[in-house]
Amino acid sequence: MANEDRRIVIAGAGSIGCYAGGCLALAGRRVILLARPRIEEALRKDGLRATELDGRDRSIQPDGLSATADPAAALRGAEIILVTVKRTICSAAGRPRSTSCKARFCAWRTKPARRRH
């Protein structure tokens, strides 16, 4: 499928970003995780483990991941960008402004979802 070749960037590879990126990578997608340096180092050393609610455990070895702490390197050539940072970090993360970023879709959310009671 042509969509499998699209370069997907997860900007904010914390717990949610790593899980989303891991699931996409396990599904055969090209994923780049944009992470803080300590997370990048851990991903390069140990890989990624995703545990589902039903207890299913899946792992991606370090050589099966692409992670960087360099925004310019991560966003270069990105076609889809998923921003998974906390609301308090959104202004610091900034919207992708790189001229090399040709993303067709960028998910950007700055307000938390409303809770339904």
Side-chain angles (χ1 to χ4, degrees):
M1 182 189 297
N3 288 339
E4 291 178 6
D5 292 335
R6 288 189 175 166
R7 184 173 170 173
I8 302 170
V9 174
I10 306 294
S15 58
I16 298 298
C18 282
Y19 178 77
C23 288
L24 288 165
L26 286 165
R29 306 298 182 170
R30 286 184 13 183
V31 178
I32 310 298
L33 298 170
L34 176 56
R36 293 176 188 240
R38 70 177 178 80
I39 301 294
E40 175 195 15
E41 183 180 328
L43 290 167
R44 289 184 187 275
K45 179 183 171 208
D46 302 321
L48 182 67
R49 179 177 165 194
T51 304
E52 304 287 336
L53 289 174
D54 63 5
R56 183 173 45 153
D57 211 19
R58 301 179 294 168
S59 296
I60 303 173
Q61 297 302 313
D63 59 354
L65 289 172
S66 185
T68 183
D70 179 6
L75 296 174
R76 188 176 306 113
E79 294 180 77
I80 299 172
I81 303 167
L82 301 177
V83 180
T84 58
V85 297
K86 293 179 180 74
R87 181 176 182 221
T88 55
I89 301 172
C90 284
S91 61
R95 293 180 190 252
R97 294 187 179 113
S98 170
T99 56
S100 63
C101 179
K102 307 286 188 218
R104 293 183 184 186
F105 176 75
C106 182
W108 187 265
R109 191 168 146 207
T110 58
K111 294 183 180 180
R114 290 182 148 193
R115 292 186 180 191
R116 293 182 181 179
H117 297 296

